[in-house]
Amino acid sequence: LKSTSGQLYSSLLDKNEEIRCLHLQIQLSKKAIEEAEEQAHHWRERAFNEINQQTGYISNLVKSSKEFKDVVSEIDKLRRDKLAWEEEKLMIHGEIDKENAVLNQEKRAFEAHLELEQKNIQQIENTIAHLKKILVNFNEESNVLKMEIQGQTEALKMGEDDLASQNEEIEKLLVDNTNLAEHNAELMTGLKAISDPSNLRSIRALEDDKELQSRHNLPPSEHITEQIHCTCDGTTGMLYITSSHLIFESTKRLISKNQKLLKIVLTSINSISKSEERRMVGTYMALEIKTAAEVHTFTGLPAHEETVAMIVNHAKTLNHQIQILHNP
């Protein structure tokens, strides 16, 4: 920007010098014209004096009419030359006036251009000043961010101790998860026996059905076909599979901290993605269930296909097809 401003200023100085030279040429032209006019006036006066002298002399000496006519013709010629010279003088003055008008117009245009360039230079200087202010503000904000980063770094160092205690809690949760898996296996064994048409539903199963129907406003025909201890979106609880719903409830000891209640209609499920979940205590199954409006992930499920098959068969009973996907 500074280089451009210097070039513009140098160009303006050159134009100003050109105008000054043009003015000097005009003044010299005017002076030359005035001197020519004075010289012409001198010769004109001298010519008229000479004509007057010659006229008087001719009137005394010339006796023949032919010689007198020649003199008169010469005088008329001198007069015509004088008129022609006057016309030429007027023409020269007209041309000078035109040149002056053109020069004045160029001068006004140059002055307007000079004013515009000066405004542009001022705008450039204002822009440079504004950019300097922005740079100062950026440096100040950078210093503030550096201080904040230093504070966050110190906070992270302080949080390392908390991380160690959290690792201990995770190990405890793994132990609890192992116990839950064993309990799930026992429940699956009991549920298989209950789901067998040859066996009558137990009184406890009927009570569980009624409690679930009451809590979630289900019809009396809705029965629990399977219930599994698992984790839904990071929250531990119980998954209930019925003939038309998937219902997840947080475990009672976690309800006060991170309560979660989920109710999914089987006919709203678009797809189920299966994947294995290898842990220190064994291999489990994870399910990602997608509907048109949401996605939920269930982990810690027993690694067998009966659960998925049960959900798909219930949906087929309701004339709904669920897509099964396998993730590595």
Side-chain angles (χ1 to χ4, degrees):
L1 290 176
K2 289 183 177 179
S3 176
T4 304
S5 300
Q7 292 177 359
L8 289 174
Y9 186 71
S10 177
S11 176
L12 293 176
L13 291 177
D14 293 340
K15 288 289 185 180
N16 202 5
E17 183 64 23
E18 289 179 4
I19 291 174
R20 191 180 67 81
C21 292
L22 289 174
H23 279 293
L24 288 175
Q25 290 178 1
I26 291 170
Q27 291 175 2
L28 292 173
S29 298
K30 286 182 178 180
K31 187 175 181 182
I33 290 169
E34 290 175 356
E35 290 177 353
E37 287 179 351
E38 289 179 359
Q39 188 175 4
H41 179 71
H42 173 72
W43 285 106
R44 185 172 64 251
E45 291 295 330
R46 185 175 178 181
F48 278 116
N49 292 330
E50 187 68 27
I51 289 169
N52 290 331
Q53 291 176 5
Q54 292 294 331
T55 302
Y57 178 74
I58 289 168
S59 62
N60 293 326
L61 297 177
V62 177
K63 302 297 182 181
S64 65
S65 59
K66 183 178 180 180
E67 292 177 354
F68 182 76
K69 287 180 180 180
D70 293 336
V71 172
V72 171
S73 177
E74 187 69 24
I75 292 171
D76 291 336
K77 184 180 178 181
L78 289 172
R79 288 175 179 172
R80 286 194 299 271
D81 293 339
K82 176 186 177 184
L83 292 175
W85 184 84
E86 292 289 343
E87 290 178 357
E88 186 177 359
K89 175 184 175 183
L90 291 175
M91 186 182 296
I92 292 172
H93 279 290
E95 292 178 356
I96 291 172
D97 292 338
K98 288 180 181 179
E99 290 181 358
N100 287 334
V102 172
L103 289 174
N104 289 330
Q105 185 176 2
E106 290 180 354
K107 179 182 178 183
R108 287 193 296 270
F110 176 76
E111 289 176 350
H113 180 70
L114 178 62
E115 184 179 359
L116 180 61
E117 294 298 335
Q118 288 176 347
K119 289 182 180 179
N120 291 335
I121 291 171
Q122 184 63 37
Q123 289 178 356
I124 291 170
E125 292 177 351
N126 293 337
T127 303
I128 292 171
H130 180 65
L131 290 174
K132 287 181 179 178
K133 289 182 180 179
I134 292 175
L135 181 60
V136 172
N137 294 332
F138 176 77
N139 290 332
E140 293 177 354
E141 292 177 358
S142 298
N143 293 331
V144 172
L145 288 174
K146 287 179 181 178
M147 295 178 65
E148 290 180 356
I149 291 171
Q150 290 177 356
Q152 291 177 359
T153 303
E154 293 176 358
L156 288 173
K157 289 180 180 179
M158 295 176 63
E160 291 178 354
D161 297 335
D162 296 336
L163 183 62
S165 61
Q166 290 178 1
N167 288 332
E168 294 178 358
E169 293 180 1
I170 290 172
E171 292 178 357
K172 292 180 181 179
L173 289 174
L174 290 173
V175 174
D176 293 340
N177 197 16
T178 303
N179 296 331
L180 286 174
E182 294 175 355
H183 185 59
N184 281 339
E186 295 176 357
L187 287 175
M188 287 298 299
T189 303
L191 286 172
K192 287 179 181 178
I194 292 172
S195 61
D196 189 354
S198 62
N199 296 331
L200 296 175
R201 294 176 57 82
S202 65
I203 297 175
R204 179 60 184 169
L206 294 174
E207 291 177 353
D208 291 340
D209 289 344
K210 290 181 180 180
E211 290 178 0
L212 190 68
Q213 292 166 4
S214 175
R215 289 198 303 270
H216 300 287
N217 195 22
L218 300 176
S221 59
E222 196 90 13
H223 299 292
I224 299 173
T225 57
E226 188 172 9
Q227 54 184 0
I228 307 170
H229 281 281
C230 64
T231 300
C232 176
D233 298 334
T235 302
T236 303
M238 182 71 73
L239 174 65
Y240 297 94
I241 302 175
T242 70
S243 56
S244 61
H245 290 85
L246 291 181
I247 299 172
F248 179 83
E249 294 178 344
S250 303
T251 53
K252 293 182 179 179
R253 64 189 182 87
L254 293 176
I255 287 177
S256 59
K257 294 182 179 180
N258 187 16
Q259 185 176 4
K260 186 175 182 65
L261 179 62
L262 182 64
K263 182 178 178 182
I264 303 175
V265 181
L266 295 182
T267 55
S268 68
I269 299 174
N270 294 333
S271 64
I272 298 177
S273 299
K274 299 189 301 180
S275 60
E276 286 188 354
E277 200 180 12
R278 298 184 182 276
R279 300 183 181 179
M280 291 186 295
V281 294
T283 301
Y284 293 85
M285 181 174 61
L287 298 180
E288 184 182 75
I289 297 177
K290 293 184 179 181
T291 66
E294 52 192 5
V295 178
H296 297 285
T297 302
F298 296 86
T299 58
L301 296 167
H304 53 73
E305 299 293 330
E306 287 81 0
T307 302
V308 178
M310 184 181 297
I311 296 172
V312 172
N313 291 332
H314 285 336
K316 287 182 178 179
T317 305
L318 300 173
N319 296 322
H320 180 69
Q321 186 70 30
I322 298 176
Q323 184 181 7
I324 304 300
L325 304 174
H326 294 273
N327 293 332

